[in-house]
Amino acid sequence: MANELDELTGPVNTEGRDIRVIEKQIPVKVGVGSLLFEIFLWVCGILPGLIFQLMKVSAKNYFQKLQQKLQADASEIDNYLEQRVVILQNLASLVNKAVALDKEVMTEVAAYRSGIHPNSGNGMTDAQRNELAQGLDRSFGRLFPQVEAYPELKAHKAIADAIQQNNYLQREITAARSLYNDTVTQWNTSLFEWPTRQIVAARAGYTTRIPFTASAEIRNQARQNFF
């Protein structure tokens, strides 16, 4: 039998293919077969029925613990984003004292400083978290050309430290997002593990979760020539 995927003669896409995350939450459903399965266990005897009930309780606890881990992973991203807000404020203030900054940049920085986006005490939603991250990327993107244009700014120790801290936090945010995505994958996979977890998830009304997605702006920047 020939290989189903033959790298020598199979069709190839010379243009390549880009990958995007589908923004869709899939609800978990079970059919009549799952109900019949549970009835069958009770028909077989009280013990199989009770055992399966205990398994469902365990599955419910599993999902509750996993949700708490998702919250903790998301909170870690929020903490790093909040630190980037502080660095952006400091960097903008330092640069503004040396050169005339774009008014739009200062307006954005003032908005972050006033507490519109950073943690309000209840945490951010995924949409708010992505919006904040994209806003910070835009703001830093407008600041760096100003720094590059003035050699005396690049030599300023406080500005150099702020840029270094920003680069460090970007790496930490990337690592935190990877951890969050791992937990999302664990959640999404567990939802469809039939019978126990899928039955519990369906009756609890759970849906799949959407992993972190990069903005169109970041995707476009990644295609640019950096050197």
Side-chain angles (χ1 to χ4, degrees), residues 20-23 130 134 177 181 210-216 219:
R20 293 184 180 274
V21 175
I22 304 301
E23 292 278 342
N130 281 338
Q134 293 168 20
R177 284 169 175 165
N181 282 353
I210 301 171
F212 165 77
T213 57
S215 66
R219 296 173 69 92

Side-chain angles (χ1 to χ4, degrees), residues 95-96 98-102 146 150:
V95 175
N96 190 48
V99 298
L101 268 184
D102 184 350
Q146 296 279 10
Y150 295 89

Side-chain angles (χ1 to χ4, degrees), residues 26-46:
I26 302 174
V28 184
K29 298 179 180 180
V30 289
V32 178
S34 296
L35 177 60
L36 294 177
F37 172 76
E38 291 191 77
I39 294 174
F40 173 76
L41 290 178
W42 285 107
V43 170
C44 289
I46 296 178

Side-chain angles (χ1 to χ4, degrees), residues 53-83:
Q53 285 296 112
L54 291 174
M55 290 174 64
K56 288 196 294 184
V57 171
S58 176
K60 180 68 175 179
N61 293 337
Y62 167 82
F63 283 122
Q64 290 176 338
K65 291 178 180 178
L66 199 54
Q67 287 189 89
Q68 294 302 316
K69 187 176 187 305
L70 281 164
Q71 286 292 93
D73 292 347
S75 178
E76 190 72 12
I77 300 174
D78 293 351
N79 290 336
Y80 288 128
L81 287 174
E82 191 167 4
Q83 291 180 53

